[in-house]
Amino acid sequence: MGRLTVKDKQGYWTLKGVPWKDLCEGKGITKNIQERLTGALCKLKNYEDLGYSPENVEHIRYVLEDAVTELEKCQGQTKLTEEIWRYLKM
């Protein structure tokens, strides 16, 4: 599954396919908005079911960066380290 959030032309983030104005108080929940919100909440639920939080994911990223740097000190650049760096740049 790809990103669920995007930046609009003004640089504000929003739920992909749902403008902020459609999420304001008093707006009706259309089928499109319902589907987008349900998808985002399901993705969040899946992360939480695994025991992850945004803080955990950020920490894992830092640990992985440190680990691949140390691995390269020992073994030099390998296909594995290249793959990890590609993943970290996503």
Side-chain angles (χ1 to χ4, degrees):
M1 179 181 270
R3 287 191 63 96
L4 295 175
T5 58
V6 294
K7 285 187 179 180
D8 65 16
K9 293 177 184 177
Q10 291 79 34
Y12 298 108
W13 69 269
T14 187
L15 185 59
K16 191 174 188 177
V18 182
W20 268 117
K21 65 181 178 65
D22 292 348
L23 295 172
C24 292
E25 183 177 347
K27 291 287 186 172
I29 297 178
T30 64
K31 182 174 178 142
N32 176 57
I33 292 173
Q34 177 189 358
E35 289 172 353
R36 299 289 178 162
L37 289 173
T38 300
L41 290 171
C42 286
K43 189 171 184 179
L44 174 60
K45 177 199 161 298
N46 291 342
Y47 280 116
E48 291 178 337
D49 286 349
L50 291 171
Y52 293 130
S53 69
E55 294 81 14
N56 295 125
V57 173
E58 186 175 359
H59 180 72
I60 290 167
R61 182 178 201 89
Y62 292 134
V63 169
L64 192 54
E65 286 174 355
D66 290 345
V68 73
T69 299
E70 290 300 314
L71 184 60
E72 286 182 334
K73 286 180 185 177
C74 298
Q75 298 181 356
Q77 192 173 33
T78 65
K79 287 185 180 185
L80 175 61
T81 60
E82 288 175 9
E83 183 179 347
I84 293 169
W85 283 123
R86 271 195 309 275
Y87 172 78
L88 290 170
K89 288 182 169 94
M90 292 178 141

